[in-house]
Amino acid sequence: MPLRKSSDSKPQIATVVPGAAIPGGELQIRGKGFAQGSHPRVTIGEVNAPVVIGSDTYVIARVPEGATAGELVVEANDSASESWACDIGIPIADSLHPVANPAIDAFGNIYTTFSGSRGQKVPVAVYKVDLNFNMKPFINELMNATALVFDDQGMLYVSSRFEGFIYQVTPNGNMSVFVEGMGVATGLAFDRHHNLYVGDRSGTIFKISPNRQIFVFATLEPSIAAYHLCMGPDDYLYVTGPTTSSFDAIHRISSEGEVETFYRGLGRPQGMAFDESGRLYVAASLSGRKGVVRITSERKAELFLSGPGIVGLAFSPSKSLILTTTNALYRVDVGIKGRPLF
C-alpha cells in the first residue's frame, strides 16, 4: 500500500501488479492523476522506467536495467505520487547458461549451470555462488549439466541430458556416476522416502530407489525442451514439459504413478518450487505475461513476478527467491519461506 495519503492534486497509486519484477519485467500501475495534461513518468529508485502504456488511470512501466531500489513513483507535470514498495530483483551472477532451477544448500550457497548447447564441452559446467555472491567454478568435467538437486545429506545430483547420466557430487566437488541410461535426462526431484525421480525428455519419468534400483514411474508426452520436476507437499510429483503451445499444463503424478492435469493455461512452463504454505511457483507466462506464476492449492493462478527469460527458481534460507534466466542469476527479497524438501 502507499506510505500515506496523497492530496488530490498529486498522482495517486492504487495498485501495482505484480508486486515483484526483474529488469525487463512490466508492472501494471492503476490509480488516478497520472497524466494531468502530459505523459506520465515513472521512476524505480533513482532510475527512469520506460512507459509502455500511459493514461490518466493506467500505466505499464518496464523495469530498467540498473533498478535495484524498489520505490516506484509516478510523476505528472511537477507533481509526484507517494512511493510504492516493489520487490525488484538484483543480479548476482551473469555469463551463465542455466536451463532449470538453481540448487541451494543448507548454508544458502547457490549452485547453477553453464549447460551449453547439446554436445558442447564447456570449461565449467556448474558454478557455486557463496553467501557473499562470489561465483567460483564447482564442476568442470561434465557435458551439458542440466538439472540440480540436493539430498538430505548435502550431496548434489546433476543430470546430463547429453549422456543420460545422473552424477552425485560431494560438498567438495568430487563427482561420481550415480546412475546411467536415463535417456535425455533433464529434471530431478527427491521424495521424502529418498527416492530420486528423473525426467527423460523423450517421455519417461524414472524412479530410482535409495539402493539405485530403477523403475519406470510414469510416461508423458515428449517435451521439446525438458521435463522440470518438483515434489509437492501432497506427495505428488509435479511435472512441466514445455511445448510450442501457449496453453501448456502442469501435470502431477501420484505415488502409484497415475498422471493427472493440475493446471492448464500456461505458456512454456519450466522450473518450479513450493512455499511453506503449499503454493506452487512456476517460471512461465500467464495470459501472455512472462515471469513467475503463483498457483494456489485451489488452482487459482496469478502473475507473482514479471520478467523475461526465467527458466528456474528456488527459495533461499533468507526467504529470498533466487531466479535463473537464460544467462544470469537474480535475487528477489520476497520475504517468503520455501517448503522444506525433507
Side-chain angles (χ1 to χ4, degrees):
M1 294 180 64
L3 300 180
R4 61 181 185 271
K5 287 188 176 180
S6 304
S7 66
D8 290 341
S9 63
K10 291 183 177 182
Q12 297 182 48
I13 300 174
T15 61
V16 177
V17 177
I22 62 172
E26 294 181 349
L27 301 175
Q28 297 187 355
I29 309 162
R30 297 184 186 274
K32 63 180 181 179
F34 293 160
Q36 298 186 16
S38 66
H39 291 294
R41 301 180 303 278
V42 177
T43 58
I44 299 175
E46 301 297 322
V47 184
N48 290 322
V51 173
V52 180
I53 295 174
S55 71
D56 197 58
T57 59
Y58 179 62
V59 169
I60 296 180
R62 183 173 296 121
V63 178
E65 296 290 340
T68 55
E71 300 299 320
L72 182 149
V73 173
V74 179
E75 301 176 2
N77 288 331
D78 295 325
S79 61
S81 70
E82 297 297 331
S83 60
W84 187 286
C86 300
D87 297 322
I88 303 300
I90 299 170
I92 56 177
D94 58 15
S95 301
L96 296 165
H97 183 212
V99 292
N101 284 351
I104 303 177
D105 67 20
F107 304 101
N109 299 299
I110 304 164
Y111 298 77
T112 189
T113 66
F114 194 105
S115 187
S117 58
R118 183 167 175 81
Q120 178 187 5
K121 186 175 177 59
V122 298
V124 180
V126 178
Y127 287 91
K128 177 181 178 179
V129 181
D130 67 21
L131 301 185
N132 295 316
F133 304 120
N134 298 312
M135 186 171 73
K136 299 177 180 179
F138 185 64
I139 299 174
N140 297 324
E141 296 297 324
L142 199 160
M143 188 80 77
N144 293 144
T146 305
L148 307 169
V149 69
F150 278 99
D151 67 13
D152 64 335
Q153 302 299 312
M155 300 286 276
L156 179 65
Y157 295 74
V158 187
S159 63
S160 166
R161 68 184 188 277
F162 179 77
E163 299 169 323
F165 289 8
I166 309 301
Y167 290 92
Q168 184 185 65
V169 189
T170 65
N172 61 3
N174 291 327
M175 185 174 68
S176 61
V177 174
F178 183 68
V179 292
E180 54 186 85
M182 297 290 100
V184 187
T186 51
L188 299 173
F190 277 101
D191 66 17
R192 58 189 177 91
H193 302 294
H194 311 290
N195 298 298
L196 177 63
Y197 297 85
V198 181
D200 168 9
R201 189 178 77 182
S202 58
T204 303
I205 306 294
F206 292 102
K207 178 179 179 179
I208 304 166
S209 70
N211 62 2
R212 306 192 193 190
Q213 289 185 293
I214 300 172
F215 308 90
V216 173
F217 180 60
T219 56
L220 296 169
E221 291 296 318
S223 169
I224 60 170
Y227 284 140
H228 300 263
L229 309 183
C230 180
M231 187 58 62
D234 50 7
D235 291 332
Y236 278 75
L237 181 69
Y238 287 72
V239 183
T240 63
T243 71
T244 56
S245 170
S246 61
F247 207 69
D248 278 339
I250 299 173
H251 298 287
R252 68 175 191 172
I253 309 173
S254 72
S255 57
E256 290 77 33
E258 298 170 346
V259 181
E260 64 179 68
T261 299
F262 173 70
Y263 185 88
R264 182 174 291 280
L266 301 175
R268 203 169 176 80
Q270 299 191 72
M272 297 172 285
F274 280 91
D275 68 16
E276 66 174 351
S277 299
R279 296 174 295 188
L280 176 63
Y281 298 73
V282 55
S285 62
L286 180 67
S287 301
R289 301 179 66 202
K290 297 178 181 178
V292 174
V293 178
R294 181 165 66 185
I295 305 174
T296 67
S297 56
E298 293 79 27
R299 308 189 190 193
K300 294 181 180 179
E302 64 176 349
L303 190 70
F304 173 77
L305 179 146
S306 179
I310 300 172
V311 296
L313 59 149
F315 288 99
S316 75
S318 62
K319 299 183 180 180
S320 296
L321 189 59
I322 305 300
L323 302 174
T324 46
T325 68
T326 53
N327 59 9
L329 198 62
Y330 287 86
R331 186 190 86 232
V332 191
D333 294 325
V334 295
I336 297 174
K337 186 176 181 180
R339 172 183 172 264
L341 297 182
F342 295 98

